[in-house]
Amino acid sequence: MGKRDTEQALGADGPVQFSVDRSSPVPLYFQLSQQLEAAIEHGKLAPGSLLGNEIELAGRLGLSRPTVRQAIQSLVDKGLLVRRRGIGTQVVHSQVKRPLELSSLYDDLEAAGQKPATRVLLNTTTEADAEVAAALGIAEGAEVALVERLRLAHGEPVAHLRNHLPAGLIELRTAELEETGLYRLMRSAGITLHSARQAVGARAATVEEGARLEEPEGAPLLTMQRTTFDDTGRAVEFGSHVYRASRYAFEFQLLVRP
C-alpha cells in the first residue's frame, strides 16, 4: 500500500496535509510525529490549534489508535502538544531549533515561520565592565552602547538578549530594533560580519528571569555568550543571551576529521 494523504487539522493557512508510507521501514508513528512536528515548527499548526482526540485522529488517518497515541505522546514529551480533558489534543508551541552559525535569532525565527517580535527593554550607553572590555578589546570604563531586548515568537517570550557594541559603531534606534534584528541593522550600516567566538551553557532561572520569560523559578535556561568580529578582525558586538530551554535548542553539525 503506498502513500495516502489526509486532511488532519485546520492550520493557519487552511487544512494541513499528512501522509504515511506503509511500505517504508520507518515506523508509522514516527512518520506522523515528524510531520506534526514540522507543521508546528513552520507555523502551519499554530499554538492553540486542536487536533481532536486519538480516536478521531486514527479514523481520519486510517491508522490504529496505538500508532496515533505513540506519535502524540512523543510530541507531548517534547512539550509541543498537550492533552486536555473534554477538548482533545492541542498545540502548545514549537521549539526553536537554531543552527550554530553566524546568524541572528530574528533571522532564524523568521526563516522558521515563527513570527518574531521584539520588545526593547533598554537602549542606552554605559561604561564597559571588565568582561565587556575584554570581549570587545577596549579599555575598562570606556563608553559602549547597551541594548536589552525580549525576543518573542508567536507572541510568547523566547529569549532575553543583552548586547554591547563599541560606542559610535552604529546608531541604534529603538523603533528599528523593534522591527528587525541587530545583525540586519549592522549589515545595513556597512558592517561586514565575518566570524564569532561563542560559548553555550545552561543554568536555572532566577525569579526575575522566570517572570520575564514566563517560566517558573529554577526552570532550565540555555545561555550563550558571543563576540562577533567584522572582516577586519575588529570586535563589533558582545552578546550575552538567555533562552527558554522549553522553547529553544541549539543544533550542531559534527564532522569526522580525516
Side-chain angles (χ1 to χ4, degrees):
M1 192 170 184
K3 287 187 177 180
R4 48 180 295 171
D5 293 333
T6 307
E7 288 188 2
Q8 192 268 1
L10 187 63
D13 301 317
V16 180
Q17 302 286 335
F18 297 96
S19 62
V20 292
D21 185 353
R22 299 177 186 275
S23 64
S24 170
V26 178
L28 296 179
Y29 89 88
F30 190 75
Q31 293 183 45
L32 177 58
S33 68
Q34 289 292 95
Q35 292 177 67
L36 279 168
E37 184 171 355
I40 295 170
E41 287 185 356
H42 292 91
K44 294 180 180 179
L45 288 175
S49 298
L50 292 172
L51 305 184
N53 59 42
E54 293 172 0
I55 297 176
E56 293 171 345
L57 291 176
R60 291 176 187 175
L61 292 168
L63 297 172
S64 68
R65 186 177 178 183
T67 295
V68 173
R69 182 188 301 121
Q70 193 172 4
I72 290 175
Q73 186 59 50
S74 68
L75 299 185
V76 169
D77 293 341
K78 291 183 177 181
L80 303 182
L81 299 177
V82 65
R83 292 187 174 96
R84 301 193 186 280
R85 186 179 299 276
I87 297 177
T89 305
Q90 190 172 30
V91 177
V92 181
H93 51 62
S94 60
Q95 185 182 55
V96 180
K97 294 182 178 179
R98 185 180 183 185
L100 279 180
E101 58 187 33
L102 188 50
S103 61
S104 72
L105 176 58
Y106 189 95
D107 291 341
D108 291 337
L109 289 172
E110 191 173 66
Q114 293 284 328
K115 299 180 181 179
T118 304
R119 190 179 304 157
V120 177
L121 306 178
L122 190 64
N123 183 9
T124 187
T125 58
T126 187
E127 294 183 355
D129 61 19
E131 181 182 37
V132 172
L136 294 178
I138 59 177
E140 186 174 350
E143 185 179 82
V144 290
L146 169 61
V147 177
E148 285 193 36
R149 296 161 294 159
L150 191 65
R151 184 59 45 76
L152 302 95
H154 293 299
E156 294 186 13
V158 175
H160 175 244
L161 314 176
R162 182 179 173 90
N163 299 83
H164 289 86
L165 291 80
L169 180 71
I170 178 178
E171 184 178 358
L172 296 171
R173 299 182 178 90
T174 297
E176 292 179 337
L177 288 166
E178 290 177 342
E179 291 296 324
T180 189
L182 177 61
Y183 281 6
R184 286 188 186 180
L185 293 175
M186 294 174 73
R187 291 188 179 101
S188 67
I191 299 170
T192 302
L193 305 178
H194 179 265
S195 62
R197 183 172 62 246
Q198 180 169 286
V200 177
R203 59 177 172 80
T206 65
V207 174
E208 182 181 1
E209 289 169 335
R212 183 184 292 128
L213 295 172
E214 298 182 7
E215 292 280 2
E217 180 186 1
L221 299 178
L222 295 174
T223 65
M224 182 184 76
Q225 286 193 332
R226 173 190 284 180
T227 303
T228 305
F229 304 88
D230 66 8
D231 56 350
T232 69
R234 173 184 56 165
V236 293
E237 177 256 346
F238 172 62
S240 183
H241 304 166
V242 179
Y243 305 85
R244 296 173 66 182
S246 63
R247 296 291 313 277
Y248 194 90
F250 291 107
E251 286 193 334
F252 298 81
Q253 182 177 11
L254 305 178
L255 301 176
V256 176
R257 288 185 176 181

